[in-house]
Amino acid sequence: MADTTEHTGTQQPQPRKASWKHIGPGIVVAATGVGAGDLVATLIAGSNFGYTLLWAAIIGCLVKISLAEAAGRWHLSTGRTLFDGWASLGRWTTWFFAVYVVVWGFVYGAAAMSSSALPLQALFPDVMDLKGWGIACGLVGLVFVWFNKYAVFEKVMTILVGVMFVVTVYLAIRVTPNIPDALAGLLPVLPDEKDSILNTLGLIGGVGGTITLAAYGYWVNAKGWTDTGWMKIMRLDNRVAYATTGIFVIAMLFVGAELLHSANVAIASGDKGLIQLGDILEEEYGSATAKFFLIGFFATSFTSLIGVWHGVSLMFADFVARLSGTGRAKGEEVASGTRERSWPFRAYLLWLTFPPMILLFEGQPFRLIIIYGVLGAAFLPFLAGTLIWLLNSGRTPREWRNGPLSNIMLAVAGLLFLILCVKQIWDQPWGEFF
């Protein structure tokens, strides 16, 4: 039965002063959410449309801010984890998450290892082939997350984000952006091309994370933030996350607009598009700039790998504990570090690492990829819809329920991702599936 109990009569913790020294989970969610695929999508948008869709990239960041803030607010205001909230909405949420996390993890593991391997193979072509680098990246990620708790994980992610930041900003400056054109790109104008609305919605929806948005609340708890006294700090942290994401995305859009659009150069979609960009940078600016870019490419891909290895494993451990009744679905449980030492956490780590290695050798099975695409497209509408439900009900203390702005932003996010979900399902080759 759904828990609709009003949370009243409890003494509220004293709010802590928002300070930059506390920033952490936001850096983690920014690093994990911005993968190589996000950078390629923005790069292609810049190469196809110049600065026209700059406004869409910025709106994408604002939409994701609302989702991550809502997830963090649920964890801090109720003291309960997000999966505990989902479970209170009915058994269907458990079934959806169970299927999603198994199929998604299997396919994503192979994609993350391959993406991290590409820049390493380009930097060190005579050491190993792509499969060897992919396996090495998966094993390093496994060992790192297995033996380190959140505090160390956050520090390493912060260092890698620093590398990403320096590389992307350097490239944006190096290509000499046209500032007047960039400012004009802040006006909400659609490109004069077929499917321009769907392409624009795709760019908005593709900025900065899917399931990692749900993992944000778990990282907030793992940091030690477990009550409403941390609310101001969480909101500052979340804004920093998507300001950082915005800088990455805008920088790559600048590179696409100046380096590719002006020269009418097209690159492939997917991670290999970044390898092509490395070749173009070498021709234009020399091998040092190309190698510097490949280091940033690796940092981008590897942060997504270890971020998912940690964050989604944390969610899976909470899922199993809630399902089996062996642990409390509370923020304090996540903050204590017991989830990171639990067998479900480590079992999911192994699931993300070893079974996907088969796909590195065999290729990705057609039917599984279709199911993966559909489940992935459905997750963000699921997240937006359930957050609206949870944060407007008696499950959340009245003081921390959604206001009008939060409801509008979450509704916009839900509608946006629902449209993209329907398109994704429609575009699948179902005739070949059966």
Side-chain angles (χ1 to χ4, degrees), residues 84 128 142 204 222 294 378 397 423 426:
D84 191 48
M128 284 190 287
L142 170 70
I204 294 172
L294 289 171
K423 181 181 184 298
W426 182 267

Side-chain angles (χ1 to χ4, degrees), residues 91-115:
R91 192 175 294 274
W92 66 276
T93 59
T94 301
W95 284 108
F96 175 82
F97 183 80
V99 174
Y100 175 85
V101 80
V102 171
V103 175
W104 181 89
F106 182 52
V107 180
Y108 181 84
M113 287 186 272
S114 178
S115 178

Side-chain angles (χ1 to χ4, degrees), residues 5-236:
T5 304
E6 292 283 354
H7 297 258
T8 58
T10 58
Q11 185 175 358
Q12 292 297 315
Q14 289 298 311
R16 292 164 175 85
K17 183 179 179 181
S19 171
W20 292 97
K21 70 180 181 180
H22 294 299
I23 298 303
I27 297 296
V28 172
V29 77
T32 308
V34 179
D38 298 290
L39 296 187
V40 172
T42 311
L43 195 66
I44 290 175
S47 68
N48 289 341
F49 308 118
Y51 294 103
T52 305
L53 292 180
L54 179 58
W55 64 272
I58 293 171
I59 287 179
C61 291
L62 295 175
V63 166
K64 298 295 179 65
I65 282 175
S66 66
L67 284 165
E69 187 276 339
R73 179 155 44 93
W74 166 264
H75 277 250
L76 295 182
S77 65
T78 65
R80 299 161 63 187
T81 62
L82 185 56
F83 185 78
D84 191 48
W86 285 339
S88 75
L89 300 179
R91 192 175 294 274
W92 66 276
T93 59
T94 301
W95 284 108
F96 175 82
F97 183 80
V99 174
Y100 175 85
V101 80
V102 171
V103 175
W104 181 89
F106 182 52
V107 180
Y108 181 84
M113 287 186 272
S114 178
S115 178
S116 298
L118 276 170
L120 291 176
Q121 188 191 33
L123 284 165
F124 310 105
D126 300 323
V127 176
M128 284 190 287
D129 63 7
L130 186 66
K131 296 182 183 68
W133 279 117
I135 291 170
C137 289
L139 292 175
V140 170
L142 170 70
V143 171
F144 171 73
V145 175
W146 188 290
F147 290 105
N148 288 296
K149 294 178 71 175
Y150 175 80
V152 177
F153 164 72
E154 183 190 287
K155 286 182 174 64
V156 171
M157 292 288 273
T158 302
I159 293 168
L160 292 173
V161 165
V163 174
M164 293 167 60
F165 185 89
V166 171
V167 170
T168 54
V169 171
Y170 167 77
L171 289 177
I173 295 171
R174 192 77 169 84
V175 300
T176 316
N178 186 321
I179 300 302
D181 284 356
L183 291 174
L186 296 175
L187 297 175
V189 175
L190 292 174
D192 188 19
E193 294 192 15
K194 183 182 177 182
D195 294 332
S196 62
I197 294 177
L198 288 174
N199 288 333
T200 302
L201 293 178
L203 179 60
I204 294 172
V207 176
T210 51
I211 195 171
T212 54
L213 292 164
Y216 178 64
Y218 288 85
W219 284 322
V220 163
N221 287 157
K223 179 75 169 173
W225 305 349
T226 58
D227 57 48
T228 56
W230 294 100
M231 196 71 74
K232 286 185 178 180
I233 294 173
M234 182 276 292
R235 284 170 167 164
L236 173 63

